[in-house]
Amino acid sequence: MDIARIDLADYRQSGAGANGASYDSIADSTVMLKLYNTDYPTDTIYSELEVARKVYDLGVPSPEPGELVTDGERIGIRFRRITGKRSFSRMLADEPERYDEFAREFARCCLKLHATECPDGVFPDAKPQFQALLDADVYLSAEQKAQASAFLQRIPDDRTALHGDMHIGNLISTLPYGAPLSQPHDIYFIDLGYFARGCPLLDLGMMRCVCVTSDDEFRQKEMHIDAAMGAKVWASFVDEYFGGRLSVEEADALIIPYQALKCFLIEYNLNGFLPENYAKLVKSVDWSK
């Protein structure tokens, strides 16, 4: 792929995350830039741009992707800038008293995404991806791996659109501080590199990872909330997503095996390491259900 050279002096840093940093163009208010860390795999960046274009073309609300760029050291992607945006995690930190309405709005956005059908041959199927992650896992015994693999194969094949990394940090809104949800605003999914098709419970597994299982340091640094807020957000999300049909305890029982599958992705991203709380969850799952 062609990569355009940029002068980073033409951009102002606007944020940072585990994989890189974001910048806004100083001269053009419609352009933002995501630059990945130098150790981030180049092939993955190419893939993320390709996926972002396909997701945008599918009609999923997401920032319009542009071209690949480099500052001479790092590679990145330009996107159409969404002005006045806040992530849902930032909204919760800014206005914690509104956690219930924000969590329910997040759930409604996820339901809309999960009502989207992916055409054949455009996005990967999630099950083979998770089988590869399971095969590389270092925490389960051979017997546990066989049981987990059998559970994975029992999951029905599905053409449902999956975000792949669905949590409160990966949905942004243009709703101003203090404004009611009834005020017109736009919402966009971001960080779409793991977009796939499959069972929606896999997406809910990642949401539970962030809200319930993550350690306090990660939750505070990356999501700007504490454990108590995470639990409240999860409870409101569950109630809205399942239309009041499941209690939190019933939803947990249903989702935890899918969450454990998501932990294999976390393990992969951390080069074969799982934080203790995730490793404990993975080892405790009854895969026979």
Side-chain angles (χ1 to χ4, degrees):
M1 290 187 181
D2 294 332
I3 304 179
R5 182 67 179 262
I6 62 164
D7 185 345
L8 201 54
D10 295 332
Y11 294 81
R12 181 186 301 109
Q13 185 168 343
S14 58
N19 296 325
S22 59
Y23 301 81
D24 293 333
S25 170
I26 296 172
D28 188 343
S29 63
T30 68
V31 174
M32 65 85 62
L33 166 67
K34 181 177 180 180
L35 276 181
Y36 296 84
N37 297 334
T38 54
D39 59 351
Y40 199 76
T42 301
D43 288 348
T44 303
I45 300 173
Y46 294 166
S47 175
E48 289 189 11
L49 175 56
E50 181 180 2
V51 169
R53 287 173 174 164
K54 291 178 179 179
V55 171
Y56 184 81
D57 290 342
L58 185 63
V60 173
S62 54
E64 182 179 5
E67 69 279 7
L68 286 168
V69 298
T70 181
D71 65 350
E73 294 183 359
R74 294 174 292 173
I75 296 175
I77 303 171
R78 275 199 281 235
F79 290 90
R80 183 174 72 84
R81 181 183 172 190
I82 310 300
T83 57
K85 65 177 174 63
R86 290 188 296 166
S87 68
F88 270 67
S89 56
R90 177 53 64 188
M91 290 164 64
L92 288 162
D94 291 344
E95 304 177 77
E97 71 282 0
R98 301 180 66 184
Y99 78 87
D100 183 69
E101 58 179 311
F102 290 157
R104 291 179 184 278
E105 176 80 342
F106 184 91
R108 290 190 289 269
C109 291
C110 294
L111 284 166
K112 288 180 181 179
L113 175 66
H114 293 157
T116 303
E117 186 175 281
C118 292
D120 293 335
V122 177
F123 298 101
D125 291 317
K127 285 171 62 174
Q129 292 179 323
F130 280 96
Q131 184 62 58
L133 295 169
L134 172 60
D135 290 342
D137 170 70
V138 300
Y139 289 88
L140 297 181
S141 67
E143 181 179 359
Q144 288 173 315
K145 279 192 177 185
Q147 293 172 346
S149 180
F151 172 85
L152 177 62
Q153 297 312 312
R154 289 196 300 272
I155 297 175
D157 294 322
D158 202 323
R159 301 176 73 181
T160 296
L162 302 181
H163 181 281
D165 192 15
M166 195 190 80
H167 58 69
I168 53 176
N170 280 341
L171 190 66
I172 60 175
S173 171
T174 61
L175 185 73
Y177 179 91
L181 288 176
S182 58
Q183 178 171 318
H185 60 284
D186 296 316
I187 292 177
Y188 303 89
F189 287 99
I190 60 172
D191 288 351
L192 299 160
Y194 293 116
F195 200 92
R197 66 179 195 173
C199 177
L201 292 177
L202 290 165
D203 266 354
L204 271 58
M206 180 56 77
M207 179 65 172
R208 191 178 188 278
C209 277
V210 168
C211 289
V212 179
T213 309
S214 295
D215 59 57
D216 288 338
E217 181 180 359
F218 172 87
R219 198 183 289 109
Q220 290 279 9
K221 180 181 178 181
E222 301 294 340
M223 299 295 135
H224 321 300
I225 62 172
D226 59 18
M229 178 60 75
K232 291 191 292 188
V233 168
W234 177 244
S236 294
F237 173 88
V238 163
D239 188 64
E240 185 70 26
Y241 189 93
F242 290 105
R245 297 185 301 275
L246 297 181
S247 67
V248 171
E249 293 76 18
E250 290 169 332
D252 285 347
L254 173 66
I255 293 166
I256 282 176
Y258 296 86
Q259 179 186 358
L261 293 174
K262 276 294 182 183
C263 288
F264 300 137
L265 177 60
I266 295 171
E267 180 184 354
Y268 171 79
N269 286 335
L270 294 176
N271 296 315
F273 169 76
L274 263 182
E276 182 179 355
N277 45 349
Y278 290 121
K280 183 178 179 180
L281 182 142
V282 166
K283 293 177 180 178
S284 69
V285 172
D286 181 357
W287 298 103
S288 64
K289 294 182 179 180

